[in-house]
Amino acid sequence: MSHQTGIQASGSVKDTFVGARNGQYRLLKIVIDNEQLVLGSSRRPVGSWEKDYDSFVLPLLEDKQPCYILYRLDSQNAQGYEWIFIAWSPDHSPVRQKMLYAATRATLKKEFGGGHIKDEVFGTVQDDVSLNGYKKYLISQSSPAPLTAAEEELRQIKINEVQTDVGVDTKHQTLQGVAFPIAREAIQALEKLKNKKLNYVQLQIDMKNETIILANTLHTELKDLPKRIPKDAARYHFFLYKHAHEGDYLESIVFIYSMPGYTCSIRERMLYSSCKSPLLEIVERQLWMQIIRKIEIDNGDELTADFLYEEVHPKQHAHKQSFAKPKGPAGKRGIRRLIRGPAETETPSD
């Protein structure tokens, strides 16, 4: 289940996606309007994908307005035509718009069909997403490029993560979302959970101070877990799931992101969605917590024992075509026998 911002594609956009996947369009510009993904513009192919690219893409990019652009290549994979997914987020656009588009990005990919998307390009200036910029992106993907000063600094930070104080005091924006500072009490609770001194930690966002704070550390059995999920507010939950699987006793940490949908304000949905990935990155890479499964739910009623077990240990479904026994000739067939020997033949009775 996916709950980024609650924004979904309109019916007309879904219909357009069907035609696009069949090759009718070269380009689709998708924007967010009235809490829906709607079609901003479309173009049909004229020349090759390279000849069409700059003349189709660049005029659609606005200086202060983010958007998504789906651009069709001429190549195909097993699912059909391959596409470039362009996330345009100009530097001078409002922060709220940047966050909204960042948080809805996964929804659009899911609605369109991720198997059709060959490459994803993120751009803040036109050079990032021009044809030349796209080709530079392909080169950078195929061979390691020299580190910039910022990348080298990030590499040093990662090397020294074990000594880093993860309770950062300032918020910062990343390509994946917005990283709010995490309160020290929340960090300490997560450490205790990792060391199995707690079995449940609930975090919430302090909307006023833009900080992730500790909400709850009550001891929680599996049967109690649905009661911990608020019906009118979003939360992050870390649960030590104790269970048996194939004869082994396991204790696995599960992350649950609960978002009750439209009972929350757009700002709350947007902030929780945007902060989720940076929070998990800190928990996994700096606290060294191993999270076995990440789950997103609407309400606590979904958290049954069977649901959680199947999420952590998905079944391998083997679809077998059942044999359909052909119907015999119409008419009287005699007494039906439950068991028939392999050498017996059926003799119709008069």
Side-chain angles (χ1 to χ4, degrees):
M1 284 167 285
S2 179
H3 306 284
Q4 281 76 32
T5 56
I7 293 173
Q8 301 294 326
S10 65
S12 60
V13 163
K14 292 180 180 180
D15 292 339
T16 302
F17 284 169
V18 174
R21 290 191 292 265
N22 292 332
Q24 294 180 19
Y25 297 96
R26 172 68 76 194
L27 175 148
L28 300 176
K29 178 181 179 180
I30 306 297
V31 297
I32 297 174
D33 185 34
N34 292 326
E35 296 193 37
Q36 277 193 317
L37 291 166
V38 300
L39 183 65
S41 183
S42 65
R43 294 293 300 270
R44 295 182 183 271
V46 175
S48 68
W49 76 268
E50 289 183 278
K51 289 182 178 178
D52 289 344
Y53 191 98
D54 279 343
S55 61
F56 280 21
V57 173
L58 299 185
L60 298 178
L61 304 178
E62 300 178 44
D63 292 338
K64 297 183 180 180
Q65 179 60 48
C67 69
Y68 309 110
I69 290 179
L70 292 160
Y71 188 85
R72 179 173 70 76
L73 301 171
D74 294 329
S75 56
Q76 298 188 38
N77 60 23
Q79 297 192 33
Y81 281 103
E82 295 180 313
W83 292 71
I84 306 170
F85 179 80
I86 301 171
W88 172 245
S89 185
D91 289 330
H92 300 295
S93 56
V95 172
R96 184 181 181 280
Q97 287 291 311
K98 291 181 181 180
M99 291 170 59
L100 183 62
Y101 274 81
T104 312
R105 186 172 172 176
T107 298
L108 175 58
K109 288 169 57 181
K110 180 181 177 182
E111 295 279 8
F112 184 73
H116 294 273
I117 296 173
K118 181 182 180 183
D119 294 306
E120 292 186 52
V121 180
F122 177 86
T124 59
V125 296
Q126 287 199 4
D127 287 346
D128 294 337
V129 297
S130 66
L131 179 60
N132 190 43
Y134 174 58
K135 289 182 175 180
K136 287 181 179 178
Y137 163 81
L138 294 178
I139 293 172
S140 70
Q141 292 297 106
S142 60
S143 60
L147 296 179
T148 64
E151 290 169 337
E152 176 62 28
E153 182 180 359
L154 180 60
R155 187 181 72 85
Q156 292 297 327
I157 290 172
K158 288 180 180 292
I159 290 173
N160 296 314
E161 272 178 347
V162 104
Q163 288 88 26
T164 300
D165 180 6
V166 294
V168 290
D169 296 324
T170 57
K171 66 178 179 179
H172 59 279
Q173 187 171 351
T174 70
L175 295 184
Q176 300 299 322
V178 178
F180 281 172
I182 304 173
R184 184 167 298 278
E185 293 80 6
I187 291 292
Q188 291 171 345
L190 290 170
E191 288 278 12
K192 289 181 180 179
L193 177 72
K194 185 184 73 170
N195 296 326
K196 301 180 182 178
K197 295 179 181 179
L198 293 174
N199 79 332
Y200 175 75
V201 172
Q202 181 184 125
L203 304 180
Q204 70 179 89
I205 295 178
D206 182 337
M207 309 292 282
K208 180 180 179 181
N209 297 313
E210 297 188 341
T211 306
I212 297 175
I213 62 174
L214 183 63
N216 194 331
T217 58
L218 288 175
H219 181 80
T220 301
E221 300 295 337
L222 182 56
K223 62 181 176 60
D224 301 321
L225 191 55
K227 303 174 188 176
R228 303 285 186 257
I229 311 300
K231 296 184 181 296
D232 58 354
R235 290 290 187 272
Y236 304 124
H237 314 261
F238 296 83
F239 178 61
L240 184 61
Y241 178 40
K242 301 177 181 180
H243 62 289
H245 175 64
E246 296 182 348
D248 295 326
Y249 175 74
L250 303 175
E251 294 185 348
S252 310
I253 296 177
V254 177
F255 171 79
I256 302 167
Y257 168 40
S258 64
M259 170 58 71
Y262 286 99
T263 58
C264 300
S265 66
I266 291 180
R267 180 171 182 263
E268 182 175 354
R269 298 201 309 267
M270 186 170 61
L271 286 178
Y272 270 88
S273 177
S274 297
C275 290
K276 175 167 64 71
S277 291
L279 169 64
L280 288 172
E281 184 173 356
I282 289 174
V283 170
E284 292 180 304
R285 296 189 180 185
Q286 297 187 25
L287 297 183
W288 300 100
M289 181 187 293
Q290 182 180 7
I291 298 175
I292 197 69
R293 189 69 173 169
K294 302 177 181 73
I295 303 171
E296 299 183 12
I297 62 169
D298 293 309
N299 60 73
D301 296 337
E302 299 177 52
L303 291 176
T304 63
D306 289 341
F307 170 81
L308 199 57
Y309 182 86
E310 290 179 7
E311 284 289 320
V312 175
H313 304 288
K315 294 179 180 178
Q316 300 296 325
H317 296 284
H319 298 284
K320 295 183 179 179
Q321 184 175 1
S322 57
F323 174 72
K325 182 179 178 182
K327 295 181 179 180
K332 191 174 180 181
R333 296 291 303 270
I335 300 173
R336 176 176 295 176
R337 291 179 291 178
L338 297 178
I339 301 175
R340 177 177 296 136
E344 291 182 349
T345 58
E346 189 177 42
T347 305
S349 61
D350 296 321

